[in-house]
Amino acid sequence: MQFDARYVVITSDEHYTPSMKQGPWAKHPMVRGTYELAAMEVARWCRDHESEGIVRISGADTLDTADPQPDRLRWLQDYFESHLKSCQAYLYIQGQHERSSKCPDVPWMTVISDDPKVQYMDNKRAMVGDELFYFSSNVSVEELFDRINSLVDEHTPPNTFFNLIAHQLWSPWVIANSLTPNLQSLPPHIRRVFSGDMHMVKNDVFSTTYGATVEAYSIGPFCAQAWGEETAPRFIVFDTQRKAIVSVPLPSREMTTVKIHTEEELERLCDLIKSKDTYLSMTDPTLPLLRVQYSSRIPNVMSKLEQVSDRKCYIFF
């Protein structure tokens, strides 16, 4: 599979919820719209650069569950019908979330689009410009390394290097265990790794046990789904002509944690919230999120903050 395109646009962990009435925070359904806003930004970037050639790659967990509802299916169908017009191809793998136990061999995009540009790429290769990509869905560590090691043999031309598209948690980004492959154990024919699953944006260069180096990119999610996750989501653009890899910001919500120890601090916080811009609705996809941690000795914290926060911010207690 060969594509004459300048740009490879890589996203991962979009986690589109089953229904459009749900958002990334399961217990807070009014916090929604962030996925769709990010998706439109990726589509806009691709439209703006369409003339130079775009290949889209997904690092998996595009769906949050394997059973999207009719409203979500319709939105995805409309989105991809439009988005694919700007792309030479949409190449994807699967993660843990979208793989159906009832139909494990039926990839999720088969119910979204029958456009031939859409290709399920698990355990396959593709060439974009002069860059060779290998794709692997979420698999065990043993199977992953079996696949990677079998990419080359005695007939492989020298200086053949791969860009690995995967969906795994990797050490040393996370604590090593039997379920996490190690980036430093990758063979020298893997030059770069672009991986989903971690929900953090990372870019590191590691020395391997083979005496080589590997560039490693954790793509990151479309938006945070919990406090402590990535608050500055991005997508990756690989310029195959200039050999430049850039991380492009996605629209996101401001997320702030405040600790209140006294009634005076509570009053100052209330005044600060009052001074903020007023949004059209509490479901605005850019409405800021505020997590408030407070002493139980302070009276009426929740009621006072709720009185001033309407269409100013969404408060997590």
Side-chain angles (χ1 to χ4, degrees), residues 28-53:
H28 304 274
M30 293 187 71
V31 182
R32 60 179 184 259
T34 322
Y35 303 123
E36 294 80 13
L37 195 64
M40 294 304 177
E41 177 63 18
V42 175
R44 184 202 62 77
W45 195 98
C46 291
R47 283 196 306 272
D48 290 348
H49 297 83
E50 177 183 356
S51 62
E52 297 176 275

Side-chain angles (χ1 to χ4, degrees), residues 51 57 70 95 108 114 185 197 203 218 244 259 292:
S51 62
I57 288 178
W108 68 271
D114 58 2
S185 297
D197 202 20
N203 171 18
S218 174
K259 295 182 179 180
V292 178

Side-chain angles (χ1 to χ4, degrees), residues 23-265:
W25 303 77
K27 296 181 180 180
H28 304 274
M30 293 187 71
V31 182
R32 60 179 184 259
T34 322
Y35 303 123
E36 294 80 13
L37 195 64
M40 294 304 177
E41 177 63 18
V42 175
R44 184 202 62 77
W45 195 98
C46 291
R47 283 196 306 272
D48 290 348
H49 297 83
E50 177 183 356
S51 62
E52 297 176 275
I54 303 287
V55 168
R56 278 281 283 112
I57 288 178
S58 168
D61 277 358
T62 304
L63 301 183
D64 197 50
T65 70
D67 57 348
Q69 302 304 300
D71 62 339
R72 174 59 72 189
L73 285 172
R74 172 52 58 190
W75 185 89
L76 287 167
Q77 288 165 348
D78 291 345
Y79 174 76
F80 278 103
E81 182 180 1
S82 174
H83 183 34
L84 288 171
K85 294 175 182 177
S86 305
C87 308
Q88 293 185 15
Y90 181 87
L91 312 178
Y92 72 103
I93 56 176
Q94 293 199 123
Q96 308 93 317
H97 282 256
E98 62 235 332
R99 185 182 289 124
S100 171
S101 58
K102 297 177 182 177
C103 306
D105 298 322
V106 180
W108 68 271
M109 272 295 284
T110 58
V111 300
I112 305 297
S113 174
D114 58 2
D115 192 312
K117 291 180 179 181
V118 177
Q119 294 290 326
Y120 180 47
M121 295 297 293
D122 181 41
N123 203 21
K124 295 179 182 178
R125 310 179 189 197
M127 183 79 77
V128 183
D130 61 355
E131 290 289 339
L132 182 57
F133 290 81
Y134 173 72
F135 299 75
S136 180
S137 292
N138 181 264
V139 294
S140 68
V141 175
E142 181 179 7
E143 182 176 355
L144 177 65
F145 274 86
D146 284 347
R147 289 177 167 194
I148 290 171
N149 290 327
S150 67
L151 289 174
V152 297
D153 57 25
E154 66 272 15
H155 304 296
T156 303
N159 298 318
T160 297
F161 300 104
F162 291 82
N163 298 283
L164 172 63
I165 305 295
H167 190 86
Q168 310 278 163
L169 295 177
W170 298 84
S171 61
W173 282 337
V174 299
I175 297 173
N177 60 58
S178 61
L179 302 178
T180 56
N182 192 324
L183 289 161
Q184 295 173 301
S185 297
L186 288 169
H189 56 270
I190 302 297
R191 172 171 282 174
R192 302 181 189 92
V193 176
F194 300 94
S195 186
D197 202 20
M198 191 173 174
H199 288 215
M200 295 294 289
V201 175
K202 286 185 173 292
N203 171 18
D204 291 296
V205 177
F206 293 100
S207 298
T208 71
T209 55
Y210 293 86
T213 58
V214 61
E215 296 177 32
Y217 298 84
S218 174
I219 304 163
F222 258 19
C223 64
Q225 294 178 279
W227 293 97
E229 286 193 357
E230 182 63 57
T231 59
R234 311 175 81 84
F235 66 97
I236 289 176
V237 175
F238 185 176
D239 184 336
T240 62
Q241 293 182 6
R242 295 180 56 238
K243 307 303 178 190
I245 298 171
V246 296
S247 195
V248 182
L250 286 167
S252 60
R253 298 174 186 265
E254 178 185 342
M255 295 176 62
T256 307
T257 297
V258 175
K259 295 182 179 180
I260 299 175
H261 303 94
T262 65
E263 291 188 57
E264 290 74 18
E265 290 178 348

